């Protein structure tokens, strides 16, 4: 089993939640030190940055590794990669993070100030 932090469309109520339904542990947040970006307003991406004190809201799941490999990862956009993050309680978890080289492209909107995907989507008049 793998502890996976989701903070976008796979969360409860999101269009991809069916891929992880039944594996929810509960609400969670990152430790401070993360920036948050919107990828075409379709999904979010985390980026570790020790220079910031922001934490991002999401949900923690406990997934079989095979399910993560076969059902979740194939649907992730190329702008994201699997990484290890720190949760608010100090424990590590897997999560989708901004892929190497993407920040330098300068095309992704930073949405850190919203603190989470649902709060950002609300500013667009959309729900997760």
């Amino acid at each position: 089993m793998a502890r996976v932090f989701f903070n976008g469309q796979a969360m409860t109520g999101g269009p991809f939640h069916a891929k992880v339904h039944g594996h929810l542990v509960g609400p969670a947040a990152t430790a401070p030190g993360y920036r948050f970006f919107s990828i075409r307003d379709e999904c979010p991406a985390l980026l570790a940055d020790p220079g910031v004190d922001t934490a991002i809201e999401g949900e923690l799941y406990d997934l079989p590794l095979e399910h993560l490999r076969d059902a979740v990862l194939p649907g992730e956009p190329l702008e994201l990669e699997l990484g290890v993050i720190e949760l608010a309680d100090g424990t590590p978890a897997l999560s989708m993070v901004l892929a190497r080289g993407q920040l330098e492209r300068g095309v992704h909107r930073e949405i850190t100030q919203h603190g989470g995907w649902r709060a950002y989507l609300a500013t667009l008049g959309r729900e997760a």
Side-chain angles (χ1 to χ4, degrees):
M1 298 296 270
R3 289 168 36 102
V4 185
F5 176 78
F6 288 111
N7 53 31
Q9 304 292 44
M11 291 190 301
T12 303
F16 302 121
H17 182 68
K19 291 183 178 186
V20 296
H21 177 75
H23 298 282
L24 177 65
V25 174
T30 67
Y34 289 90
R35 293 168 64 192
F36 204 43
F37 293 86
S38 173
I39 309 299
R40 295 177 304 279
D41 290 343
E42 295 171 6
C43 65
L46 286 170
L47 177 69
D49 184 341
V52 301
D53 63 356
T54 50
I56 305 300
E57 297 176 352
E59 295 175 344
L60 186 62
Y61 291 78
D62 200 12
L63 295 176
L65 284 171
E66 296 82 3
H67 186 75
L68 178 63
R69 179 193 65 211
D70 299 338
V72 177
L73 293 178
E76 294 293 338
L78 296 176
E79 293 90 347
L80 303 180
E81 64 188 15
L82 190 62
V84 178
I85 62 149
E86 183 181 350
L87 297 175
D89 67 4
T91 62
L94 296 172
S95 188
M96 300 309 298
V97 299
L98 193 62
R100 287 165 278 211
Q102 289 295 314
L103 183 63
E104 295 76 15
R105 290 186 58 214
V107 298
H108 308 300
R109 178 179 310 167
E110 184 160 0
I111 59 172
T112 304
Q113 70 276 17
H114 298 287
W117 186 243
R118 290 180 179 125
Y120 172 67
L121 288 183
T123 68
L124 303 177
R126 294 174 32 200
E127 293 181 11

